[in-house]
Amino acid sequence: MGRVLAWDSRQRCSSLGFKRHASTFRHRISRSLVPTSKQKFVHVAGQEMVPSQQLLLRAGMMRQSSSGIYSMLPFGLKSLVKIEAIIDEELEDIGCQKLAMPNMLPAENWKKTGRWETAGPEMFKLKDRKGAEFLLAPTHEEEITTLIGKEVQSYRQLPIRVYQVTRKFRDELRARSGLLRGKEFLMKDLYTFDVSEEEARKTYDEVVEAYRRIMTRLGVPYAVAEADTGNIGGSHSHEFHILSRVGEDSLLSCSSCGYTSNEERAVGVIPEEPSKVATKFRNSTDLGKWVESLDLIPRSAVRINPKVRYGLLHEAEQDGSAKTTLLAVATAADRQVNEIKMNKALGKLEVFDTLEEARGALGEEKVSRFALCVDQSLFPGLKTAPRSKSMTVDGALPADIAGISCVSGSPVLDVHYGDFHNCLPGDGCPHCATPLSTSRAIEVGHTFLLGTKYSAALDTTFMPATGTEPLPFQMGCYGLGITRLLASIIEASHDHRGIQWPESVAPYRVVIVTSEDEECIKIGDEVYDAVQASLKTKSDVIIDDRLDVTLGFKMKDAELIGYPWMVVVGKGYLRTGNVEVQHRLTGEKHHITFDGIAEFFAKRREVRPSL
Ligand code: ATP
Ligand code: MG
């Protein structure tokens, strides 16, 4: 009864215009959980830590719970929340709505799409006490498609754009770069549902533009690359990257027309060699010589010294039986085989450096066919690739493959010509021929135009405006790694003294540091109030009021944490009446009277970092 009365009286207060009391609370380092450390943590489990990992630990923003799993301490979380708020604003501006789905998902839908199997060991699988199968969500396409399928029946309810910010779980093999690659991490995932391919494409373009605005507001240089669609699938895909030397991705980009692509799928024009020499499979095996004897590469256009690698392609025949093809992939010696391009052209294959390794993987199995993939790097002078063909090979097999049993007596050789190599810097841009340059980058976001891949597999449909047949939804999915963004911003913006936060995502924009005597701390409180009154967000200022550490120590801590602005209230203030304001990024210093402080920060209210 008492509780009901209390609730009742509170409600009345609010309906009578009850106001929050004016807070006299000041954010103080002495009251904060921000365990900074001057000690350098350099290694973890024998591996060198990346800078963002070291700095988040030293600046007291996060702690490791176990490998790839972290607690965010208050300062780290404050920055994460700011990143999320920017994303919220930009997505709401294009009509997206936030929802929240569970993290423990039933296996059933994932079996329907096939990803229960294809996701491999990266997926955390578990069972409840009754034996029902679940997974810890690595992403949510299956869950959202099933949900929308149940709730949306008509074209009148479309389009739908819904997103969430939740934890994702992936049993990453290389969970060793702090927040850059965690086993548990925070992701924003947006899913869109449209009536037609055309509408879905418009949605896709709008989201990509919103992503660009998000990245600009985050305040560090970024690149947008054409990307591979990987395990998610679909037809059209872009990656958003923050440029950093610790990035796991390589981008190839054109300084002239702006073409940028992940190395995984970059297509470049291979410069022609001044002299062309007939192909010799010099470094290769008898298989290579045998292939050479078949005269499959146009001698007019070849480059010297190809390199051969091997592959096994396992396919199911229409009658359900298995078919295995042994492949030789020939590229110019300076080129790596690009497995993603090979998988796209031929199907999922295993690639080996030597025929011995392929033979070992084959074991007792018989092969049905042989194939030779002739890479474009072997005929850079030809405008169009020769046509792929199949031929029956008569006569004796070369010694090094004679041991490999073939299903039929006379083996078939398929010859494929195409782009099976990794581009290199210096290759020509596919649009304007300018030499491409390369840079390391961290993928922070990925956008996919999915089409009906998930809606068709999960049989989720709507009734269109015309026609009598229900249609599957045209979908898109769009991920942004929020914890990875936090770490990538630090990778892109730090120096030997610590983090250099962009204004938009700093845990606090301004720190007041004082000498350790009581008088300076008292003046510091007044400076705090003046700064706070001029800031748009009241909780963007903090005072380092500790009595047990020196001003110099506090300034070092402030540089480590990386606040964009530091206001120093030292003994000098008592003499001159001026505070010193330092800018972390540029190092510029301003001496300002107490009365000038509010104006100084008010002027910088809308400062957006320039790129
Ligand atoms: P990667 O190739 O780096 O493993 P991915 O292609 O698996 O990334 P997506 O499935 O597209 O990533 O996920 C969307 C976003 O989630 C990524 O762009 C990235 O920002 C983030 N992300 C993915 N895996 C991790 C991870 N293990 N730790 C932190 N963030 C991650
Ligand atoms: Mg991954």
Side-chain angles (χ1 to χ4, degrees), residues 122 170 172 181:
E122 224 180 80
R170 298 184 185 180
E172 297 277 359
R181 186 170 293 285

Side-chain angles (χ1 to χ4, degrees), residues 353-489:
D353 283 333
T354 64
L355 185 59
E356 263 322 296
E357 288 171 49
R359 207 202 298 263
L362 203 56
E364 296 298 301
E365 205 185 326
K366 291 183 173 179
V367 298
S368 302
R369 299 166 92 86
F370 293 101
L372 173 70
C373 301
V374 185
D375 180 58
Q376 230 172 34
S377 57
L378 291 174
F379 49 89
L382 286 191
K383 288 272 175 290
T384 48
R387 277 175 159 236
S388 296
K389 57 188 162 203
S390 291
M391 54 212 285
T392 309
V393 185
D394 298 321
L397 287 171
D400 53 2
I401 56 167
I404 297 175
S405 317
C406 211
V407 175
S408 78
S410 43
V412 176
L413 178 72
D414 300 320
V415 187
H416 305 277
Y417 298 92
D419 175 357
F420 305 120
H421 63 268
N422 271 355
C423 263
L424 290 175
D427 286 357
C429 167
H431 299 308
C432 69
T434 308
L436 297 171
S437 59
T438 185
S439 43
R440 303 296 296 173
I442 306 167
E443 179 209 308
V444 290
H446 209 156
T447 56
F448 299 90
L449 189 61
L450 290 171
T452 59
K453 180 179 156 109
Y454 292 94
S455 46
L458 293 161
D459 200 17
T460 48
T461 54
F462 67 97
M463 283 308 297
T466 52
T468 51
E469 286 297 307
L471 294 177
F473 299 103
Q474 291 287 341
M475 289 177 57
C477 74
Y478 311 83
L480 261 182
I482 297 186
T483 32
R484 188 181 283 182
L485 268 172
L486 181 85
S488 310
I489 290 168

Side-chain angles (χ1 to χ4, degrees), residues 573-590:
Y573 178 82
L574 304 177
R575 265 196 333 272
T576 63
N578 282 343
V579 295
E580 185 180 276
V581 181
Q582 293 187 12
H583 191 224
R584 177 72 178 89
L585 197 61
T586 59
E588 74 195 52
K589 291 181 182 163
H590 305 261

